[in-house]
């Protein structure tokens, strides 16, 4: 599935804007068969939850409906007409004039439908999209639905961020030729000063393929013939962290001598390698500085917003960060494209967060259930997880900014069944993309002596909260705990180690001369303590703080209007720790402090 682009042979119409909207109601079980009888309107792209002041809508569990009229450009006669949704959280169903044309499970990845046989060029049609936010033990991420004493359906889930739902990313209508490229894969290497570019093109219909490699000025620097092959770029400019350079693979599909389809695929020439305890980009050791992030802003929820995209990347540059993890789901493609263009390194994560019932038991005091069992995370869960990995790799494999796949966040890797669940998924990921390392983010319950899957992965990514959830308020003791455990991991595995999460909730404006949790000084000192430990352990290749900015969570007494571990507030104001980090990261440019 190629990202829609306007080219000499393809046209595109953006369907963002205000759509008629309502949640599913018993008196209207099939709203797609006619006009949706509602006075509500919802913005697309945006989660629907916070757009309204209705608790019924915000807390709704089940289907919600979007509807609008769409006119097909009259010049599209003879082309194939495709409808694409960049995401529908967590399940989508698409109807054209009452006919189901597409359905998809998985809330953060795109899906589409060829609707040529259902519409007419120059005509219009009624587009209805159903979005279902339900999570079960067989979805990624998982959850549980219950019914309370008043008959209300309640959704519980194991991830610590709000379960925003809706059409949070764009909707597109686009045209393509009958004979066309349908998939493009680019893999790069380096031979001295020459860039080696292997490509593979899939074509619908009987057509020949030729490719041209263009530099950023549009000058042709290499060319090839055939649906797959290798071309070489002499004196290649490499894609480097902080110094991005992008080439374009211009794909042309021909019938005879006529070019019937053109599709440009940007790419960067660079290599990724794990060697011993080093993480190498273009053969040079790289040290990650940055954050776990969230797609989260006020009112929009997880709705993509270009203004926030620009501002967030400006803040990353200001603070000296060179990377982020797409915690805990794939981000919008616009984010990945922006990272490509601006040289920000990305750890690309699946939506597999919450595969750990021990966390739930710890928070609620309920009896601990095994995470991996026929009644909990089972074969169907694993199959959904595998499909999510396939779709993620297919969507993002050409992004030079993506340097590693993270296939889960804080799973129960210390429990029985973990290896049987994860080993096939690791093998699948490596088969789909042998060029990138694979990791998972390990929860605190998983220690060097009980983790059952760490040897399967290329990089040890650890989420640790010594000084917050363990040893809170005593940073001297926390430093001893942290260094002791980190040295055990290093001694046992000898692999690159990345602290994928560490942080302390902080209320902006709260100050203290003591080590008082929630104060701005405590967050600053907490981070400084971690950095001292990282700098003493040679195997450490990076630090990504939890979190870039405060974000919304579900209601709970352990969260007051969301998670406050952000270095920036939810509206992107810096806390004191941001200035401390800026001083630490200034001038590192991917090098470990002291290296």
């Amino acid at each position: 599935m190629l990202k829609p682009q306007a080219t000499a042979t393809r046209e595109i119409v953006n369907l963002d804007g205000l759509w008629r909207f309502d949640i599913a109601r018993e008196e209207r079980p099939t709203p797609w068969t006619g006009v949706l009888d509602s006075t509500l309107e919802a913005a697309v792209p945006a989660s629907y939850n916070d757009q309204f002041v209705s608790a019924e809508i915000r807390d709704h569990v089940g289907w919600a409906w979007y509807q609008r009229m769409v006119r097909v450009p009259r010049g599209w006669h003879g082309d194939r007409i495709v409808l694409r949704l960049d995401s529908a959280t967590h399940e989508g169903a698409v109807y054209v004039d009452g006919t189901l044309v597409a359905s998809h499970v998985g809330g953060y990845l795109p899906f589409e439908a060829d609707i040529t046989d259902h519409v007419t060029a120059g005509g219009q049609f009624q587009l209805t999209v159903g979005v279902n936010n339900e999570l079960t033990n067989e979805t990624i991420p998982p959850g549980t639905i219950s019914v309370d004493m008043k008959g209300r359906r309640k959704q519980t889930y194991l991830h610590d961020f709000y379960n925003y739902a809706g059409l949070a990313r764009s909707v597109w209508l686009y045209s393509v030729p009958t004979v066309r490229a349908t998939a493009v894969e680019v893999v790069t290497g380096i031979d001295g000063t020459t860039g080696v570019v292997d490509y593979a093109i899939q074509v619908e219909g009987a057509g020949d393929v030729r490719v041209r490699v263009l530099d950023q000025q549009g000058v042709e620097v290499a060319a090839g013939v055939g649906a797959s092959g290798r071309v070489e770029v002499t004196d290649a400019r490499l894609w480097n962290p902080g110094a991005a350079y992008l080439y374009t693979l211009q794909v042309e599909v021909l019938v005879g001598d006529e070019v019937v389809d053109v599709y440009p695929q940007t790419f960067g020439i660079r290599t990724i390698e794990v060697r011993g305890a080093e993480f190498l980009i273009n053969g040079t050791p790289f040290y990650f500085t940055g954050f776990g992030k969230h797609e989260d802003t006020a009112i929009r929820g997880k709705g993509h917003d270009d203004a926030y995209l620009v501002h967030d990347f400006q803040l990353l540059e200001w603070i000296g960060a060179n990377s982020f993890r797409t915690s805990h789901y794939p981000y919008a493609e616009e984010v990945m494209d922006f990272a490509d263009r601006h040289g920000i390194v990305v750890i690309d994560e699946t939506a597999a967060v919450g595969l750990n019932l021990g966390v739930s038991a710890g928070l609620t005091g309920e009896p601990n259930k095994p995470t991996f069992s026929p009644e909990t995370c089972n074969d169907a869960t694993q199959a959904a997880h595998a499909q999510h990995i396939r779709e993620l790799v297919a969507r993002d494999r050409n992004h030079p900014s993506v340097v590693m796949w993270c296939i889960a966040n804080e799973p129960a890797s210390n429990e029985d069944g973990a290896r049987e669940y994860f080993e096939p998924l690791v093998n699948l990921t490596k088969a789909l993309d042998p060029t990138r390392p694979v990791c998972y983010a390990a929860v605190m319950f998983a220690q060097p002596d009980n983790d059952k899957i760490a040897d399967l992965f290329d990089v040890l990514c650890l989420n640790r909260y010594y000084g917050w959830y363990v040893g809170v308020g005593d940073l001297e003791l926390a430093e001893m705990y942290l260094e002791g455990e980190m040295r055990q991991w290093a001694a046992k595995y000898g692999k690159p180690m990345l602290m994928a999460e560490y942080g302390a909730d902080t209320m902006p404006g709260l100050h203290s001369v003591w080590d008082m949790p929630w104060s701005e000084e405590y967050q600053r000192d907490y981070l400084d303590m971690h950095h001292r430990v990282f700098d003493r352990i040679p195997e450490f290749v990076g630090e990504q703080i939890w979190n870039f900015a405060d974000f919304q969570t579900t209601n709970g007494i352990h969260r007051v209007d969301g998670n406050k571990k952000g270095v920036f507030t939810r509206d992107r104001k810096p806390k004191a720790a941001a200035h401390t980090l800026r001083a630490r990261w200034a001038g590192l440019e991917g090098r470990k402090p002291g290296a």
Side-chain angles (χ1 to χ4, degrees), residues 525-543:
D525 294 344
Y526 170 99
L527 296 177
D528 285 344
M529 177 272 288
H530 281 76
H531 299 154
R532 289 194 297 271
V533 173
F534 302 162
D535 293 349
R536 291 196 292 262
I537 298 177
E539 289 81 4
F540 258 89
V541 298
E543 52 200 57

mmCIF file of all heavy atoms in Angstrom, residues 525-543:
data_model
loop_
_atom_site.group_PDB
_atom_site.id
_atom_site.type_symbol
_atom_site.label_atom_id
_atom_site.label_comp_id
_atom_site.label_asym_id
_atom_site.label_seq_id
_atom_site.Cartn_x
_atom_site.Cartn_y
_atom_site.Cartn_z
ATOM 1 N N ASP A 525 16.980 16.652 39.654
ATOM 2 C CA ASP A 525 17.984 15.846 40.361
ATOM 3 C C ASP A 525 17.826 14.359 40.028
ATOM 4 O O ASP A 525 18.821 13.623 39.967
ATOM 5 C CB ASP A 525 17.862 16.060 41.869
ATOM 6 C CG ASP A 525 18.212 17.493 42.271
ATOM 7 O OD1 ASP A 525 18.834 18.210 41.455
ATOM 8 O OD2 ASP A 525 17.841 17.894 43.396
ATOM 9 N N TYR A 526 16.587 13.927 39.843
ATOM 10 C CA TYR A 526 16.302 12.536 39.462
ATOM 11 C C TYR A 526 16.988 12.216 38.128
ATOM 12 O O TYR A 526 17.645 11.176 37.983
ATOM 13 C CB TYR A 526 14.792 12.361 39.380
ATOM 14 C CG TYR A 526 14.299 11.074 38.783
ATOM 15 C CD1 TYR A 526 13.896 10.017 39.590
ATOM 16 C CD2 TYR A 526 14.188 10.910 37.398
ATOM 17 C CE1 TYR A 526 13.422 8.835 39.040
ATOM 18 C CE2 TYR A 526 13.721 9.739 36.840
ATOM 19 C CZ TYR A 526 13.339 8.707 37.664
ATOM 20 O OH TYR A 526 12.869 7.539 37.111
ATOM 21 N N LEU A 527 16.836 13.097 37.145
ATOM 22 C CA LEU A 527 17.456 12.864 35.846
ATOM 23 C C LEU A 527 18.974 12.910 35.951
ATOM 24 O O LEU A 527 19.673 12.076 35.347
ATOM 25 C CB LEU A 527 16.954 13.891 34.831
ATOM 26 C CG LEU A 527 15.450 13.843 34.512
ATOM 27 C CD1 LEU A 527 15.080 14.953 33.541
ATOM 28 C CD2 LEU A 527 15.042 12.489 33.962
ATOM 29 N N ASP A 528 19.509 13.852 36.711
ATOM 30 C CA ASP A 528 20.956 13.943 36.880
ATOM 31 C C ASP A 528 21.519 12.653 37.467
ATOM 32 O O ASP A 528 22.605 12.193 37.084
ATOM 33 C CB ASP A 528 21.317 15.120 37.789
ATOM 34 C CG ASP A 528 21.189 16.470 37.097
ATOM 35 O OD1 ASP A 528 21.120 16.496 35.838
ATOM 36 O OD2 ASP A 528 21.163 17.496 37.803
ATOM 37 N N MET A 529 20.793 12.077 38.426
ATOM 38 C CA MET A 529 21.256 10.834 39.040
ATOM 39 C C MET A 529 21.363 9.724 37.999
ATOM 40 O O MET A 529 22.359 8.982 37.937
ATOM 41 C CB MET A 529 20.285 10.423 40.159
ATOM 42 C CG MET A 529 20.627 9.087 40.821
ATOM 43 S SD MET A 529 19.902 7.626 39.991
ATOM 44 C CE MET A 529 18.179 7.806 40.436
ATOM 45 N N HIS A 530 20.358 9.596 37.156
ATOM 46 C CA HIS A 530 20.396 8.575 36.109
ATOM 47 C C HIS A 530 21.567 8.800 35.164
ATOM 48 O O HIS A 530 22.245 7.847 34.753
ATOM 49 C CB HIS A 530 19.082 8.578 35.333
ATOM 50 C CG HIS A 530 17.966 7.877 36.037
ATOM 51 N ND1 HIS A 530 17.290 8.433 37.103
ATOM 52 C CD2 HIS A 530 17.397 6.663 35.836
ATOM 53 C CE1 HIS A 530 16.362 7.584 37.526
ATOM 54 N NE2 HIS A 530 16.397 6.501 36.770
ATOM 55 N N HIS A 531 21.809 10.042 34.816
ATOM 56 C CA HIS A 531 22.870 10.325 33.848
ATOM 57 C C HIS A 531 24.243 9.977 34.409
ATOM 58 O O HIS A 531 25.133 9.532 33.667
ATOM 59 C CB HIS A 531 22.791 11.786 33.412
ATOM 60 C CG HIS A 531 21.487 12.106 32.741
ATOM 61 N ND1 HIS A 531 20.943 13.370 32.729
ATOM 62 C CD2 HIS A 531 20.610 11.305 32.072
ATOM 63 C CE1 HIS A 531 19.792 13.340 32.078
ATOM 64 N NE2 HIS A 531 19.573 12.101 31.683
ATOM 65 N N ARG A 532 24.444 10.142 35.698
ATOM 66 C CA ARG A 532 25.709 9.730 36.299
ATOM 67 C C ARG A 532 25.925 8.226 36.125
ATOM 68 O O ARG A 532 27.030 7.769 35.809
ATOM 69 C CB ARG A 532 25.743 10.098 37.786
ATOM 70 C CG ARG A 532 25.855 11.582 38.077
ATOM 71 C CD ARG A 532 26.217 11.831 39.536
ATOM 72 N NE ARG A 532 25.201 11.359 40.470
ATOM 73 C CZ ARG A 532 24.166 12.085 40.893
ATOM 74 N NH1 ARG A 532 23.999 13.324 40.442
ATOM 75 N NH2 ARG A 532 23.308 11.585 41.761
ATOM 76 N N VAL A 533 24.845 7.468 36.314
ATOM 77 C CA VAL A 533 24.950 6.011 36.169
ATOM 78 C C VAL A 533 25.218 5.643 34.716
ATOM 79 O O VAL A 533 26.099 4.819 34.424
ATOM 80 C CB VAL A 533 23.668 5.339 36.689
ATOM 81 C CG1 VAL A 533 23.687 3.838 36.380
ATOM 82 C CG2 VAL A 533 23.508 5.561 38.190
ATOM 83 N N PHE A 534 24.470 6.224 33.794
ATOM 84 C CA PHE A 534 24.669 5.886 32.381
ATOM 85 C C PHE A 534 26.120 6.140 31.963
ATOM 86 O O PHE A 534 26.712 5.349 31.225
ATOM 87 C CB PHE A 534 23.746 6.726 31.486
ATOM 88 C CG PHE A 534 22.278 6.597 31.784
ATOM 89 C CD1 PHE A 534 21.388 7.559 31.319
ATOM 90 C CD2 PHE A 534 21.777 5.533 32.514
ATOM 91 C CE1 PHE A 534 20.039 7.459 31.570
ATOM 92 C CE2 PHE A 534 20.425 5.431 32.789
ATOM 93 C CZ PHE A 534 19.542 6.403 32.316
ATOM 94 N N ASP A 535 26.669 7.251 32.416
ATOM 95 C CA ASP A 535 28.009 7.634 31.990
ATOM 96 C C ASP A 535 29.079 6.696 32.544
ATOM 97 O O ASP A 535 30.201 6.650 32.023
ATOM 98 C CB ASP A 535 28.318 9.073 32.409
ATOM 99 C CG ASP A 535 27.444 10.092 31.677
ATOM 100 O OD1 ASP A 535 26.766 9.707 30.706
ATOM 101 O OD2 ASP A 535 27.432 11.272 32.092
ATOM 102 N N ARG A 536 28.763 5.939 33.588
ATOM 103 C CA ARG A 536 29.741 5.017 34.181
ATOM 104 C C ARG A 536 29.693 3.620 33.560
ATOM 105 O O ARG A 536 30.549 2.784 33.878
ATOM 106 C CB ARG A 536 29.496 4.912 35.693
ATOM 107 C CG ARG A 536 29.813 6.175 36.470
ATOM 108 C CD ARG A 536 29.923 5.916 37.958
ATOM 109 N NE ARG A 536 28.662 5.562 38.600
ATOM 110 C CZ ARG A 536 27.876 6.416 39.264
ATOM 111 N NH1 ARG A 536 28.223 7.704 39.347
ATOM 112 N NH2 ARG A 536 26.766 5.994 39.844
ATOM 113 N N ILE A 537 28.701 3.355 32.692
ATOM 114 C CA ILE A 537 28.526 2.012 32.139
ATOM 115 C C ILE A 537 28.780 2.055 30.634
ATOM 116 O O ILE A 537 28.009 2.661 29.882
ATOM 117 C CB ILE A 537 27.119 1.473 32.450
ATOM 118 C CG1 ILE A 537 26.937 1.375 33.976
ATOM 119 C CG2 ILE A 537 26.893 0.114 31.789
ATOM 120 C CD1 ILE A 537 25.564 0.914 34.410
ATOM 121 N N PRO A 538 29.865 1.436 30.154
ATOM 122 C CA PRO A 538 30.236 1.548 28.740
ATOM 123 C C PRO A 538 29.175 1.025 27.777
ATOM 124 O O PRO A 538 29.088 1.494 26.637
ATOM 125 C CB PRO A 538 31.518 0.700 28.651
ATOM 126 C CG PRO A 538 32.054 0.642 30.047
ATOM 127 C CD PRO A 538 30.854 0.673 30.941
ATOM 128 N N GLU A 539 28.372 0.056 28.207
ATOM 129 C CA GLU A 539 27.390 -0.546 27.302
ATOM 130 C C GLU A 539 26.212 0.370 26.981
ATOM 131 O O GLU A 539 25.427 0.064 26.082
ATOM 132 C CB GLU A 539 26.871 -1.864 27.900
ATOM 133 C CG GLU A 539 27.876 -3.006 27.895
ATOM 134 C CD GLU A 539 28.867 -2.926 29.039
ATOM 135 O OE1 GLU A 539 28.743 -2.012 29.908
ATOM 136 O OE2 GLU A 539 29.773 -3.781 29.099
ATOM 137 N N PHE A 540 26.087 1.474 27.705
ATOM 138 C CA PHE A 540 24.948 2.357 27.453
ATOM 139 C C PHE A 540 25.131 3.099 26.138
ATOM 140 O O PHE A 540 26.164 3.720 25.881
ATOM 141 C CB PHE A 540 24.754 3.356 28.601
ATOM 142 C CG PHE A 540 23.633 2.959 29.516
ATOM 143 C CD1 PHE A 540 23.883 2.144 30.600
ATOM 144 C CD2 PHE A 540 22.335 3.355 29.251
ATOM 145 C CE1 PHE A 540 22.847 1.736 31.427
ATOM 146 C CE2 PHE A 540 21.293 2.949 30.069
ATOM 147 C CZ PHE A 540 21.540 2.140 31.161
ATOM 148 N N VAL A 541 24.072 3.039 25.311
ATOM 149 C CA VAL A 541 24.093 3.719 24.007
ATOM 150 C C VAL A 541 22.993 4.767 23.906
ATOM 151 O O VAL A 541 22.739 5.291 22.819
ATOM 152 C CB VAL A 541 23.966 2.711 22.841
ATOM 153 C CG1 VAL A 541 25.139 1.747 22.827
ATOM 154 C CG2 VAL A 541 22.625 1.969 22.889
ATOM 155 N N GLY A 542 22.318 5.066 25.018
ATOM 156 C CA GLY A 542 21.320 6.105 24.888
ATOM 157 C C GLY A 542 20.405 6.265 26.077
ATOM 158 O O GLY A 542 20.332 5.408 26.965
ATOM 159 N N GLU A 543 19.698 7.391 26.066
ATOM 160 C CA GLU A 543 18.786 7.777 27.137
ATOM 161 C C GLU A 543 17.573 8.472 26.515
ATOM 162 O O GLU A 543 17.694 9.464 25.811
ATOM 163 C CB GLU A 543 19.501 8.708 28.115
ATOM 164 C CG GLU A 543 20.170 9.903 27.451
ATOM 165 C CD GLU A 543 21.253 10.562 28.295
ATOM 166 O OE1 GLU A 543 22.215 9.861 28.690
ATOM 167 O OE2 GLU A 543 21.146 11.787 28.529
#
